Structures are given as structure tokens and as C-alpha cells.
Amino acid sequence: GAGVSQSPSNKVTEKGKDVELRCDPISGHTALYWYRQSLGQGLEFLIYFQGNSAPDKSGLPSDRFSAERTGGSVSTLTIQRTQQEDSAVYLCASSLSITGSYEQYFGPGTRLTVT
Amino acid sequence: EDQVTQSPEALRLQEGESSSLNCSYTVSGLRGLFWYRQDPGKGPEFLFTLYSAGEEKEKERLKATLTKKESFLHITAPKPEDSATYLCAVQAGYDMRFGAGTRLTVKP
């Protein structure tokens, strides 16, 4: 079946502009996660959704970052007034549920470059 | 605070030379320990989940083991196509905390 998809695959933007990153999870997966991976670094957890709800937003790096999920499926991560330090690969993952301990399946990522 | 430390940072092996990667963790209430493989420019690919000390899982040339403080990923007779970064992650709450990874290179 289809895996997790993300778009765009690459995004170059100017400092100060807003960007939207999209994630389509695996069909039937109720849990969705966003991570950030900077060059040579490990994955940094940003936020998770169970259904449309995001109970914990404390992982978001600043108030310029926001995320939403509609219809229990597609999610959008928005970065406002981008800064150069926002340059990274943004990865989305989905799993069957938040409860229990299910493996997460990752998309290919969106490489964001802020110039 | 939950912590995950992987060692070594990088490992170079000759084809056929077996070795092990280490993942040490401190977490309250481990729900699962996960191993992933990541190729350059791609998202992590799921390999194994381990839930309790003493558990082992195998897949082709890879074998993962778990104790109360660490996990090992054993690679037996590796091939060049096993070259990748191997990531370990622990889940206690609802999020997953990743180590920085071990970059494995297998030379023919």
C-alpha cells in the first residue's frame, strides 16, 4: 500500500517568508508525528496528533511554528517568518495509534532551505 | 530526562566483518525500543521493535537485543548494501526520542 507522503520534497525560501509543509499519512493511521532533522543531527520531535487533536505542543521550537490536522488525515506544518536556523529536513511519520507502542512509518521528508 | 546515546558515531567494516552497534538509554517506563535504518536523502525505515529485557529479533543479517539499560544491533557478515545510518529510539510517553545514530560503511 501507499506509504507516508510529504510535499514539497524541497523548498527554498527567503528569510522572513512563511512556508507550509504537507504530510499525507498511511490510510487508517490515527497518529501522526512531525520531526526535524538538522544536518548531521538526530531527529528532534516537534508535535504529534491523535486524530485531529494535538495535546502537547511543547516540542515546537517557537511560536512561529504551528501545525494542524484536518479530517484525521492530512497535516500541515506552518513556519511563519522563517529564519536561517529553520533550515533542516522536516519528517512526518504515522502509526496506528498513540496508545500502545506502535512503530512509526516515515515519509521521505521536506528539505527546507532558508536563504 | 529521557536520554538515548548511540555508539560508535561511525563504523567502517570490511564486507563479511561482523560487529555490533550500541544504544544506551535512560527512560522511565519504557514502552518500546525501536531500530531504524536511514539512507541518505530518505526518511528512516523501520527495522525492529523490542518491548522487554531479554527480547531478541532478527531480520536477514541483523539481530537486535535488549537489556534494561541498552540495546545492541548485531550485524553478521555485512554487505556493502548494509551501509546506512542506524537510528535507535525509545518510547516512554507518546513521543519517541531518537539517538544521533551510527553511520555504518561496509567496504567491498
Side-chain angles (χ1 to χ4, degrees):
Chain A
V4 177
S5 61
Q6 293 186 247
S7 61
S9 56
N10 282 283
K11 177 72 176 179
V12 180
T13 189
E14 292 180 353
K15 177 182 173 181
K17 295 285 179 76
D18 298 351
V19 295
E20 284 189 354
L21 312 180
R22 177 187 168 107
C23 172
D24 278 277
I26 292 172
S27 177
H29 281 192
T30 62
L32 186 148
Y33 309 80
W34 283 98
Y35 294 86
R36 178 168 71 174
Q37 188 171 36
S38 302
L39 188 63
Q41 302 296 313
L43 275 71
E44 175 190 4
F45 169 77
L46 299 179
I47 192 170
Y48 75 87
F49 289 87
Q50 175 63 23
N52 291 336
S53 173
D56 183 3
K57 299 180 181 179
S58 63
L60 295 175
S62 77
D63 57 9
R64 296 185 294 105
F65 287 70
S66 63
E68 65 176 14
R69 189 180 186 194
T70 54
S73 182
V74 172
S75 177
T76 302
L77 178 69
T78 301
I79 308 173
Q80 295 179 310
R81 306 181 301 282
T82 51
Q83 303 294 312
Q84 288 187 328
E85 60 262 30
D86 299 333
S87 295
V89 175
Y90 290 82
L91 290 159
C92 173
S94 70
S95 68
L96 279 172
S97 175
I98 277 289
T99 57
S101 188
Y102 298 103
E103 58 269 21
Q104 297 178 15
Y105 293 90
F106 284 82
T110 293
R111 181 175 298 278
L112 175 66
T113 303
V114 182
T115 61
Chain B
E1 181 181 327
D2 299 345
Q3 286 194 328
V4 182
T5 303
Q6 291 189 246
S7 61
E9 290 185 10
L11 181 62
R12 295 171 67 93
L13 300 173
Q14 286 296 128
E15 184 172 3
E17 179 186 2
S18 302
S19 188
S20 297
L21 313 182
N22 178 263
C23 172
S24 299
Y25 64 91
T26 54
V27 64
S28 298
L30 180 72
R31 293 171 60 189
L33 184 141
F34 302 81
W35 282 98
Y36 286 84
R37 166 190 172 131
Q38 187 173 26
D39 293 295
K42 296 187 176 181
E45 174 189 348
F46 171 73
L47 293 174
F48 303 109
T49 308
L50 302 167
Y51 295 103
S52 58
E55 189 174 1
E56 299 182 352
K57 288 194 176 172
E58 288 188 66
K59 180 181 179 180
E60 295 180 355
R61 295 176 292 282
L62 301 177
K63 179 180 176 181
T65 62
L66 181 65
T67 72
K68 288 187 178 180
K69 293 184 178 180
E70 58 191 356
S71 176
F72 291 94
L73 184 66
H74 307 276
I75 302 177
T76 302
K79 298 182 178 181
E81 53 262 42
D82 295 322
S83 297
T85 295
Y86 291 84
L87 301 170
C88 167
V90 297
Q91 185 174 30
Y94 295 133
D95 61 317
M96 194 176 287
R97 187 172 295 269
F98 281 81
T102 293
R103 187 173 67 255
L104 174 66
T105 304
V106 182
K107 294 291 189 181

